[in-house]
Amino acid sequence: MSVAKYRLVLLGAGQVGSHLAHRIDECPELELVQIYSRKFASVQALAETLSREPSSTDSLGEVVYDADYYVFALSDSALTTVWAQMPKTRGIWLHTAGSVPLSAMQPYHGSSGVLYPLQTFSRSRCLDWTKIPIYTEATSPELLGNVMSLASMLSPNVHHASSEERQLIHLSAVFVCNFANHLWALGEELMMQQGLDPKTLQPLIEETCAKMLAMSPREAQTGPARRGDRMTIERHLDLLREVRADLIPLYTELSDSIQRMYNI
Amino acid sequence: MSVAKYRLVLLGAGQVGSHLAHRIDECPELELVQIYSRKFASVQALAETLSREPSSTDSLGEVVYDADYYVFALSDSALTTVWAQMPKTRGIWLHTAGSVPLSAMQPYHGSSGVLYPLQTFSRSRCLDWTKIPIYTEATSPELLGNVMSLASMLSPNVHHASSEERQLIHLSAVFVCNFANHLWALGEELMMQQGLDPKTLQPLIEETCAKMLAMSPREAQTGPARRGDRMTIERHLDLLREVRADLIPLYTELSDSIQRMYNI
């Protein structure tokens, strides 16, 4: 009979929490004993989708005392509130946030650490955890060993990063994920605004992604700013003045940034 | 014996020109009779890679008189110079530029049109032309019929767009392709600047692309600006102040634009 090595409590049933719960559920060496969320309906709905159903609670007072890990997958703003209201527990407390320093958690529980999965989580997406880099940190080298051993059960791609490094990784992630996605939303919006089908941009977006993964984005850069094509840039600014003047500073900032990168 | 339906001359052996030459070479109904480029070495190198080798020239005076189509795949700034130096010819002149209006070409040759493939072209990439949307325009409805019939041999995805629409499509393409790619380059640069491996961003970029193609970018948006998470935004701005102050206006512009899109 195989026995779970670590018993976990998960706090948070949002996008990150849901994906973590499913990943933990897949690992025979891990046992998710309890999930907490302020919203009982969300936590119960999540618990029911797991093959080994944990207990559910919406009360921090009911959180079990003797798990090995307490994983806080909550919004940055909820973290300190929840930590302040947590009962005393054994085990290691971990948060999953890119930009929250470990020092913000330590006053609430000495044995604490970070398990930051570098990925964009949406409930409707199926993710391959073997490809997700996990950045870990802990209050002592011994604890770090424990946290890295837990992380390696979730993904083979485990690293250590200081709070400063993790924040920089999170900032980079905002550029490559959130901001890139926003440019796609803006491109589609521009098309729709003029009655054009935004779906026709998709082959271009697909090739943009495929190319950059094959070549590196620095080499893959094309377009008027990269070519130093002032005439086209001016034409685009004239057009934006007519259709979306609010986007002029963004267009200019991005074109200037490209020209600075390539000394054009 | 199958006979080519249309005889083409291609002017330009750059990224777009090379991809077009290979696509034309694949179509039994098309015959590429000649390629012109200012640089003889480039045009000859390209011609040699084609299965039906066309003649090569670096002299506009040698351009043949009696082709059906003359396709100008040149940089926007070279177009008017080359048009002004072209000998009189029969056939239809076409340019492939997103932001050059048809009216800029018409004074040089009455029967003219546009064949704009909406894609990012790099010499080293293999492209699937069946997925590339082509936007066409011409100086008369009859000519437009001819241009669309030519375009349909290159791709099943052929549309008509006025010069104004095409410019808007090109502008949208700059946002979704060139600008998105630049954000990836910046993200990687931020990582490298701090001695972190930029390759660890790749699974995130892959999922960002896959998610947006499955969900639409508007729905797929995540991140601090989307959540209205001022604390994280402030932390990122503090960090940028230390490591890359030049990126603060860009970070701010993008975050504000996200918040405007979702009324946050």
Side-chain angles (χ1 to χ4, degrees):
Chain A
M1 199 184 100
S2 88
V3 174
K5 200 171 167 185
Y6 294 128
R7 297 174 69 242
L8 288 87
V9 171
L10 176 66
L11 299 103
Q15 322 248 43
V16 179
S18 302
H19 278 280
L20 262 174
H22 282 103
R23 180 61 185 150
I24 294 166
D25 196 41
E26 283 168 9
C27 298
E29 289 182 306
L30 300 179
E31 185 190 355
L32 186 57
V33 292
Q34 192 178 38
I35 310 181
Y36 158 86
S37 164
R38 210 161 32 96
K39 298 180 197 145
F40 193 70
S42 328
V43 68
Q44 213 177 17
L46 172 57
E48 280 168 7
T49 60
L50 302 174
S51 66
R52 296 174 288 160
E53 196 180 329
S55 74
S56 304
T57 183
D58 59 358
S59 157
L60 288 171
E62 286 176 8
V63 167
V64 301
Y65 167 75
D66 60 348
D68 299 297
Y69 290 97
Y70 296 79
V71 183
F72 297 84
L74 298 162
S75 71
D76 293 12
S77 53
L79 283 173
T80 43
T81 318
V82 168
W83 290 333
Q85 292 170 7
M86 272 287 284
K88 289 265 167 277
T89 71
R90 292 172 59 178
I92 302 171
W93 288 15
L94 300 173
H95 79 67
T96 61
S99 282
V100 177
L102 179 56
S103 59
M105 187 182 197
Q106 215 176 343
Y108 300 97
H109 188 80
S111 304
S112 58
V114 179
L115 189 148
Y116 169 56
L118 178 58
Q119 191 46 281
T120 171
F121 294 94
S122 288
R123 228 177 293 253
S124 63
R125 299 282 304 162
C126 229
L127 292 176
D128 176 1
W129 275 83
T130 65
K131 282 172 139 192
I132 302 180
I134 298 182
Y135 289 91
T136 56
E137 191 183 6
T139 46
S140 76
E142 195 199 329
L143 277 187
L144 182 62
N146 292 341
V147 178
M148 289 184 95
S149 127
L150 171 66
S152 329
M153 294 173 190
L154 304 175
S155 162
N157 196 349
V158 175
H159 309 262
H160 167 254
S162 68
S163 289
E164 292 71 27
E165 287 169 332
R166 179 162 34 80
Q167 206 183 9
L168 198 282
I169 295 162
H170 187 219
L171 175 64
S172 307
V174 167
F175 275 89
V176 304
C177 170
N178 308 146
F179 286 169
N181 184 78
H182 180 58
L183 293 177
W184 296 332
L186 284 177
E188 290 204 0
E189 208 175 65
L190 275 167
M191 294 282 281
M192 280 187 283
Q193 195 181 324
Q194 305 297 309
L196 295 159
D197 182 4
K199 288 275 169 259
T200 54
L201 292 172
Q202 293 217 347
L204 173 61
I205 297 175
E206 276 180 69
E207 170 62 11
T208 305
C209 299
K211 186 163 115 173
M212 108 85 188
L213 291 169
M215 297 172 73
S216 100
R218 219 192 142 84
E219 283 178 288
Q221 190 66 53
T222 54
R226 177 69 185 94
R227 290 194 304 272
D229 179 351
R230 283 302 319 164
M231 204 161 69
T232 301
I233 293 177
E234 288 305 327
R235 281 204 189 103
H236 285 168
L237 290 172
D238 286 344
L239 181 58
L240 279 174
R241 226 160 268 135
E242 279 171 51
V243 298
R244 280 294 300 268
D246 62 310
L247 295 180
I248 291 175
L250 182 55
Y251 184 99
T252 308
E253 217 34 81
L254 282 161
S255 295
D256 290 354
S257 177
I258 292 173
Q259 305 209 311
R260 278 199 303 275
M261 183 173 279
Y262 299 92
N263 299 313
I264 290 165
Chain B
M1 199 183 99
S2 90
V3 174
K5 199 169 164 186
Y6 294 128
R7 299 172 69 244
L8 286 87
V9 171
L10 176 66
L11 298 103
Q15 322 248 44
V16 178
S18 302
H19 278 280
L20 262 174
H22 282 103
R23 181 61 185 150
I24 293 166
D25 195 41
E26 283 168 9
C27 297
E29 289 182 306
L30 301 179
E31 185 190 356
L32 186 56
V33 291
Q34 192 178 36
I35 310 183
Y36 158 86
S37 163
R38 208 160 34 94
K39 298 179 198 146
F40 193 69
S42 329
V43 69
Q44 213 176 16
L46 171 59
E48 279 168 9
T49 61
L50 301 174
S51 66
R52 295 174 288 160
E53 196 180 328
S55 73
S56 303
T57 183
D58 58 359
S59 157
L60 288 171
E62 285 177 10
V63 166
V64 301
Y65 168 75
D66 60 348
D68 298 297
Y69 290 97
Y70 297 79
V71 183
F72 296 85
L74 299 161
S75 71
D76 292 13
S77 53
L79 283 174
T80 43
T81 318
V82 168
W83 289 335
Q85 293 170 5
M86 273 285 285
K88 289 263 167 277
T89 71
R90 293 173 56 178
I92 302 171
W93 288 16
L94 299 174
H95 80 69
T96 61
S99 283
V100 177
L102 179 57
S103 59
M105 187 182 197
Q106 214 176 344
Y108 300 98
H109 189 80
S111 303
S112 59
V114 179
L115 188 148
Y116 170 55
L118 178 58
Q119 191 48 281
T120 171
F121 294 94
S122 289
R123 228 177 293 255
S124 63
R125 300 282 303 162
C126 228
L127 292 176
D128 177 1
W129 275 83
T130 65
K131 282 172 140 194
I132 302 180
I134 298 180
Y135 289 90
T136 55
E137 191 183 4
T139 46
S140 76
E142 194 199 328
L143 277 187
L144 181 62
N146 292 340
V147 177
M148 288 183 97
S149 128
L150 171 67
S152 330
M153 294 174 191
L154 304 174
S155 161
N157 197 350
V158 174
H159 308 262
H160 167 255
S162 68
S163 290
E164 291 71 28
E165 286 169 331
R166 179 161 34 81
Q167 204 183 11
L168 198 282
I169 294 163
H170 186 221
L171 175 64
S172 307
V174 167
F175 274 88
V176 304
C177 170
N178 309 145
F179 287 168
N181 184 78
H182 180 58
L183 293 177
W184 295 332
L186 285 177
E188 291 205 359
E189 208 175 64
L190 275 167
M191 294 282 281
M192 281 187 283
Q193 195 181 324
Q194 306 296 308
L196 295 159
D197 181 4
K199 288 275 169 258
T200 54
L201 291 173
Q202 293 216 348
L204 173 61
I205 297 176
E206 276 180 69
E207 171 62 11
T208 305
C209 299
K211 186 163 115 172
M212 109 82 188
L213 290 169
M215 297 171 71
S216 101
R218 219 192 142 85
E219 282 177 289
Q221 189 66 52
T222 54
R226 176 70 184 92
R227 289 193 304 273
D229 179 351
R230 283 303 318 164
M231 205 160 70
T232 301
I233 293 177
E234 289 305 327
R235 281 205 188 102
H236 285 167
L237 291 171
D238 286 344
L239 181 58
L240 280 173
R241 227 160 268 136
E242 280 171 50
V243 299
R244 281 294 299 269
D246 62 309
L247 295 180
I248 291 176
L250 182 55
Y251 184 98
T252 308
E253 216 35 81
L254 282 161
S255 295
D256 289 354
S257 177
I258 292 173
Q259 305 210 310
R260 279 199 303 275
M261 184 174 278
Y262 299 92
N263 298 312
I264 290 165

